[in-house]
Amino acid sequence: MQEPVENQLIETSPRGSRPRPRRAASPMVWGQSGAVMALYHSGALADIVIILGILGVFYGITQVGREWAGVLRPTVVIDLSFRALPRYTLFSLVRGLAAYCISFLFTIAYGYWAAKDRLAERLLVPILDILQSIPVLGFMPGVVLALVSVFPNSNTGLELAAVFMIFTGQAWNMTFSFYNSLKSVPEYLQEAGTIYHFNWWQRLTQIEMPYSAIGLIWNSMMSMAGGWFFLMVTEAFQLGNRDFRLPGIGSYMSVAVEKGNVPAMIAAVVAMVLMIVALDQLVWRPTVVWAQKFRIEDTSQEESMDSWFLDLLHHSHILRWIGAANSSVGHAFGSLISRLVRHVPRNIPDRSPVASAPARHGVQNRPSFSVVFARVLFFLLAAGLAFALAQVVRLLISVRIDEWLRLLRSDLLTLARVTTAIALGTLWALPVGLRIGLSPKLSRIMQPIVQVAASFPAPMLFPAVILLLALLRVNIGFGSVVLMLLGTQWYILFNVIAGAQAIPSDLKEAAASYRITGRQRFWTLYLPAIFPYLVTGWVTATGGAWNASIVAEIVTFRGQTLRAQGIGSVISEAAFGAKFAELAAAILIMSLTVVLINRFVWRRLYAVASTQYNLSK
């Protein structure tokens, strides 16, 4: 007789590792009621939860659909009553989730292309670094005006613009994480794929995606936080004398701050916290626990992670039926992909000696369809960039020399603030992240707290922070570093936690056996093991700091505008004032700065991470 699912305590492990015990859900979670326990173990309770969730999704889609299809209004009146807040929270949540779905697809496609195509990599990685460092306001005027002109009679264009703006706060961090993971896949996994004659699709789904899962999931959580960071700007955007506000929790908070409505501000904070906690418990925590089976290790974890919601879903009959159907569809889709593309493109680097054997014997492969397709995309991208550059040059002709010099000085000041914020963030995020990531018990306790803190839009806290800095008599020039830190430190923390969780247990046990402790263990085991993740954290945190400069260097407080000289404040003022030439010049200088940093700092650190600090070497 087959053992009941609730008693099967062995979790599937990656190839080459031992199965690990998974703790069963504790009945104490559901109390001592016999009826409730019967529903729980029979799977009925899980099915009820899933059905209610599906009904809730349909209701949300209906409400959002009405808003998207509504007539475009010159001005949106934001209702500050408490009864309107749940509806506004739903709108913001749907925009964030829609942006995340787009970001995930972009991450897989862009990251894979950059990691596998050496020619495209030279262009795609610098572009990605530039894109993640261009502030939201750099995209927003053009995107909003373009989409509103495409949909002049409905809210669809404005809603799509808001989703795109949130996407720009999510995608870059996830893409860097996935790209870095693909570049760090151990050689023995690559060789296994070669031995089993995996094509590119099988390598992606059975080797590279599982290997990237832990880092990608943690960076997904951080990316959602990045999307919430600019929620007040995205949903309450104004361009000159035109109002492009959308109903949502960001615009609710923005109007509450403008009117000094303290109860509404507190209600918005509570609603945001509840939404973040719900996402953590219902989405991120179960996903993190599920991803532990992709850890690269030969021994079991000291203590397994668990999730009450995932344990509940394990009993669902509906999910079993969906899983069986999905398995059949997935197998058919995989077979179709395998037939369409049977060979790895010639230009895709395969680091295994087995794969390089044909090349050494002079066997020449014809360019496959994927190679031709990649080249077409590459040249289309280059052509699009050339066209965009030509349009920007037309704007820049009107900028005077003295304005260029002023922008350059502002850029150097912002660069100094960004560097200081990253250094301060690393000082505390590195030890704290190691502590959380190395302890499943501590991770279970701290993850919800960290997730709430990281996801909460820092601009909502700016008035309180400015008040504290004013009491300490710290001017906005130095205070803007603190404001940047509020939004960028989490990128480093989340990457360090992901790296610490990915350290194989056999290495930790070996360090314990040889009595390597304290600082020696940090320098010989922990830092080398997490270094690739730390570099990714630095890169994304730096981009986040450049982005945060537009709200950190110019702050409205008690009816006064506090401005620190920097490129962020220049961009903010130019965007809201519709000064497009100055906006283009400021973004160009910022982009050139990012390219230079990418070329002389991050690229070299990535090379060190993939060679000297790769666990497969």
Side-chain angles (χ1 to χ4, degrees), residues 109-126:
Y110 196 100
Y112 187 86
W113 188 13
K116 297 298 183 177
D117 191 330
R118 291 182 178 178
L119 175 62
E121 182 182 19
R122 299 176 183 176
L123 179 64
L124 294 178
V125 174

Side-chain angles (χ1 to χ4, degrees), residues 32-280:
Q32 301 299 327
S33 170
V36 174
M37 291 303 298
L39 286 174
Y40 174 75
H41 288 293
S42 66
L45 183 59
D47 292 338
I48 292 173
V49 171
I50 291 173
I51 292 173
L52 291 176
I54 293 174
L55 293 176
V57 169
F58 278 122
Y59 173 79
I61 292 175
T62 302
Q63 294 295 315
V64 173
R66 290 177 180 175
E67 177 62 29
W68 281 49
V71 178
L72 183 64
R73 292 159 297 211
T75 303
V76 176
V77 179
I78 302 300
D79 184 4
L80 294 184
S81 65
F82 293 162
R83 67 176 180 274
L85 192 53
R87 183 166 171 265
Y88 289 166
T89 304
L90 173 65
F91 290 160
S92 296
L93 176 62
V94 170
R95 293 182 191 116
L97 293 178
Y100 175 77
C101 293
I102 300 173
S103 298
F104 183 82
L105 295 176
F106 176 86
T107 292
I108 302 304
Y110 196 100
Y112 187 86
W113 188 13
K116 297 298 183 177
D117 191 330
R118 291 182 178 178
L119 175 62
E121 182 182 19
R122 299 176 183 176
L123 179 64
L124 294 178
V125 174
I127 288 177
L128 185 64
D129 211 0
I130 293 171
L131 288 175
Q132 75 146 352
S133 300
I134 295 178
V136 170
L137 291 178
F139 296 103
M140 201 157 191
V143 171
V144 170
L145 293 176
L147 290 176
V148 168
S149 64
V150 173
F151 301 93
N153 299 320
S154 70
N155 288 326
T156 303
L158 202 53
E159 290 284 355
L160 288 176
V163 171
F164 180 80
M165 292 303 105
I166 298 174
F167 161 83
T168 62
Q170 295 178 349
W172 323 134
N173 177 48
M174 295 167 57
T175 306
F176 264 117
S177 172
F178 186 59
Y179 164 78
N180 184 55
S181 296
L182 291 180
K183 300 291 287 187
S184 305
V185 174
E187 289 183 4
Y188 68 87
L189 291 180
Q190 296 282 12
E191 292 172 4
T194 302
I195 293 172
Y196 285 99
H197 303 287
F198 282 178
N199 56 38
W200 71 269
W201 176 256
Q202 292 170 318
R203 284 180 181 270
L204 175 64
T205 57
Q206 300 184 37
I207 293 178
E208 294 163 342
M209 286 291 291
Y211 179 78
S212 309
I214 294 178
L216 185 57
I217 290 170
W218 278 97
N219 280 280
S220 293
M221 293 191 290
M222 192 63 249
S223 293
M224 285 295 291
W228 302 137
F229 185 88
F230 292 103
L231 201 60
M232 292 176 64
V233 175
T234 302
E235 294 181 345
F237 180 62
Q238 293 178 314
L239 182 63
N241 59 356
R242 300 185 65 180
D243 191 343
F244 294 105
R245 279 184 294 189
L246 285 170
I249 193 171
S251 56
Y252 184 97
M253 184 67 172
S254 178
V255 173
V257 171
E258 289 178 6
K259 296 184 176 181
N261 191 327
V262 176
M265 293 167 60
I266 296 175
V269 170
V270 172
M272 177 64 70
V273 170
L274 291 177
M275 182 181 70
I276 292 169
V277 171
L279 279 175
D280 176 77

Side-chain angles (χ1 to χ4, degrees), residues 112 115-118 200 344-351 370-371:
Y112 187 86
K116 297 298 183 177
D117 191 330
R118 291 182 178 178
W200 71 269
V344 177
R346 181 177 60 180
N347 64 314
I348 291 181
D350 194 326
R351 290 168 287 181
S370 57
V371 173

Side-chain angles (χ1 to χ4, degrees), residues 413 417 474-482 484 552-553 563-565:
L413 288 173
R417 296 188 183 104
V474 177
N475 64 43
I476 189 63
F478 293 101
S480 58
V481 175
V482 179
M484 286 183 186
E553 292 182 342
R563 182 185 184 279
Q565 184 180 357

Side-chain angles (χ1 to χ4, degrees), residues 12-20 293-299:
T12 304
S13 301
R15 185 182 294 119
S17 63
R18 301 176 185 176
R20 299 189 297 274
K293 63 182 179 180
F294 299 125
R295 287 168 53 90
I296 303 297
E297 60 175 272
D298 297 322
T299 56

Side-chain angles (χ1 to χ4, degrees), residues 9 86 122 161 170 182 191 207 214 234 236 244-245 321 328 392 474 496 507 526 531 535 562 596-597:
L9 303 182
R122 299 176 183 176
Q170 295 178 349
L182 291 180
E191 292 172 4
I207 293 178
I214 294 178
T234 302
F244 294 105
R245 279 184 294 189
W321 299 333
S328 301
V392 171
V474 177
V496 172
L507 292 183
Y526 294 154
F531 190 73
V535 173
L562 304 178
L596 292 175
I597 294 174

Side-chain angles (χ1 to χ4, degrees), residues 398-528:
S398 61
V399 181
R400 300 190 307 272
I401 296 296
D402 59 328
E403 292 179 342
W404 283 107
L405 295 176
R406 178 178 63 85
L407 292 175
L408 182 59
R409 288 193 297 269
S410 300
D411 182 70
L412 293 176
L413 288 173
T414 301
L415 174 61
R417 296 188 183 104
V418 168
T419 305
T420 304
I422 299 304
L424 293 175
T426 304
L427 285 178
W428 80 267
L430 181 57
V432 172
L434 279 173
R435 181 64 177 170
I436 295 174
L438 293 173
S439 173
K441 181 178 180 180
L442 187 59
S443 177
R444 183 169 59 253
I445 297 172
M446 293 300 299
Q447 182 191 332
I449 300 174
V450 172
Q451 178 66 10
V452 170
S455 300
F456 191 84
M460 291 186 179
L461 302 177
F462 280 8
V465 176
I466 290 295
L467 178 60
L468 177 61
L469 294 175
L471 294 176
L472 297 176
R473 296 184 178 180
V474 177
N475 64 43
I476 189 63
F478 293 101
S480 58
V481 175
V482 179
L483 301 180
M484 286 183 186
L485 188 61
L486 290 175
T488 60
Q489 57 194 348
W490 310 111
Y491 291 97
I492 304 173
L493 179 63
F494 272 62
N495 277 278
V496 172
I497 291 175
Q501 289 188 339
I503 297 176
S505 293
D506 55 348
L507 292 183
K508 291 184 282 186
E509 293 171 2
S513 299
Y514 285 100
R515 298 181 180 179
I516 301 176
T517 60
R519 294 182 179 179
Q520 186 180 7
R521 177 176 291 197
F522 172 80
W523 290 108
T524 58
L525 173 60
Y526 294 154
L527 184 59

